[in-house]
Amino acid sequence: MSLNVQEKRFIESTEKYVHNYFENESSGHDWWHIYRVRNMAKRIAKTEGGDLFLVEMAALLHDLDDWKLSDAGQDSKTEKWLNSIGFPKPKIPVILEIIEQVSFKGAGVENRAISVEAKIVQDADRLDAIGAIGIARTFAYGGNKGRLIYHPDIKPEMHNSFDEYKKTTAPTINHFYEKLLLLKERINTKSAKKIAEQRHRFMETFLEQFYGEWESEI
Ligand code: NI
């Protein structure tokens, strides 16, 4: 299914807006994260199906109101944007719902993607959190928050509430155990699972090398 002229117009203007908005973001949620998630979501949608237009729009907008990047309780920028471009009113809640289901909120916190579009965008977002890119982004985020790379005495914690997860100040290596290494099991679609497995192995290799170098064994 290819997109109609109006849909293409919505995507182009949203891409410009989001690109501009995230241009100088330095915590690993910059425009290129959005760019990769959008492309990966399109790749997954090719085999998994779903409405391509909704997938692409939600992928472009998925971090605009992210809890990590915005203050709680403020108006939805996504909704404002969609209204401002004359996006069909009945489809606005559909986009907002997909986005709401995408975000990771802690190891023990249930957050299920329900629609096929939400599953695809969530998978694409999670794939960007693992592998080589995931490692780079995690350290960029930790640096942005002033965290240590690693501290041998501070053990990883499994957060059972979104609040606990949000408040953590633990070293960045802990984040591998609190989130990154858990993501492979939380992938929704078959096509994404395959990609996740390869990226997961790469992170395990990275950690082995890291500890080896830390103890001056390698
Ligand atoms: Ni994201």
Side-chain angles (χ1 to χ4, degrees):
M1 189 193 77
S2 58
L3 305 182
N4 66 39
V5 178
Q6 169 120 74
E7 289 173 337
K8 275 191 192 144
R9 212 169 45 85
F10 283 136
I11 285 173
E12 272 167 26
S13 57
T14 302
E15 178 176 335
K16 261 190 214 142
Y17 169 65
V18 172
H19 190 159
N20 203 29
Y21 187 88
F22 286 106
E23 187 97 73
N24 297 314
E25 174 23 68
S26 62
S27 72
H29 293 83
D30 52 280
W31 156 248
W32 296 107
H33 162 63
I34 313 288
Y35 166 93
R36 292 187 302 268
V37 171
R38 187 260 307 263
N39 289 347
M40 182 56 84
K42 284 169 77 176
R43 174 178 161 190
I44 300 170
K46 266 192 199 143
T47 44
E48 302 290 337
D51 183 321
L52 254 188
F53 173 60
L54 293 178
V55 164
E56 196 165 355
M57 282 298 289
L60 283 170
L61 291 165
H62 83 275
D63 269 340
L64 200 56
D65 287 304
D66 191 278
W67 61 268
K68 290 189 288 304
L69 314 169
S70 14
D71 301 322
Q74 66 187 20
D75 289 354
S76 159
K77 289 191 275 287
T78 310
E79 198 174 347
K80 251 191 227 161
W81 167 252
L82 292 172
N83 275 315
S84 79
I85 56 171
F87 200 77
K89 287 254 186 271
K91 280 196 175 169
I92 294 181
V94 181
I95 299 275
L96 296 178
E97 201 181 277
I98 297 173
I99 293 169
E100 168 60 28
Q101 291 170 18
V102 169
S103 170
F104 183 89
K105 298 189 173 81
V109 185
E110 191 66 43
N111 195 39
R112 227 178 257 293
I114 298 155
S115 66
V116 61
E117 289 82 12
K119 285 181 179 161
I120 290 168
V121 179
Q122 190 179 61
D123 281 356
D125 194 36
R126 289 182 172 179
L127 284 174
D128 207 56
I130 60 177
I133 298 263
I135 294 171
R137 289 182 64 219
T138 303
F139 285 104
Y141 186 74
N144 181 274
K145 299 278 173 200
R147 294 186 191 161
L148 279 180
I149 291 176
Y150 175 54
H151 191 307
D153 300 334
I154 305 176
K155 300 292 170 216
E157 267 181 71
M158 294 297 116
H159 302 107
N160 288 314
S161 82
F162 182 36
D163 246 15
E164 274 174 53
Y165 176 68
K166 256 194 304 198
K167 277 189 234 143
T168 179
T169 54
T172 298
I173 285 287
N174 293 23
H175 197 60
F176 282 79
Y177 302 95
E178 291 162 0
K179 176 178 175 185
L180 310 192
L181 294 167
L182 307 173
L183 288 177
K184 177 172 74 80
E185 295 309 318
R186 296 179 181 216
I187 295 284
N188 307 292
T189 66
K190 254 195 184 162
S191 1
K193 189 111 189 160
K194 250 188 161 167
I195 304 168
E197 270 157 15
Q198 193 274 343
R199 293 186 182 194
H200 185 91
R201 282 196 297 276
F202 183 83
M203 289 193 298
E204 288 178 330
T205 308
F206 168 81
L207 287 169
E208 263 170 50
Q209 176 82 18
F210 183 93
Y211 296 127
E213 291 182 15
W214 189 272
E215 299 299 341
S216 310
E217 287 163 355
I218 295 178

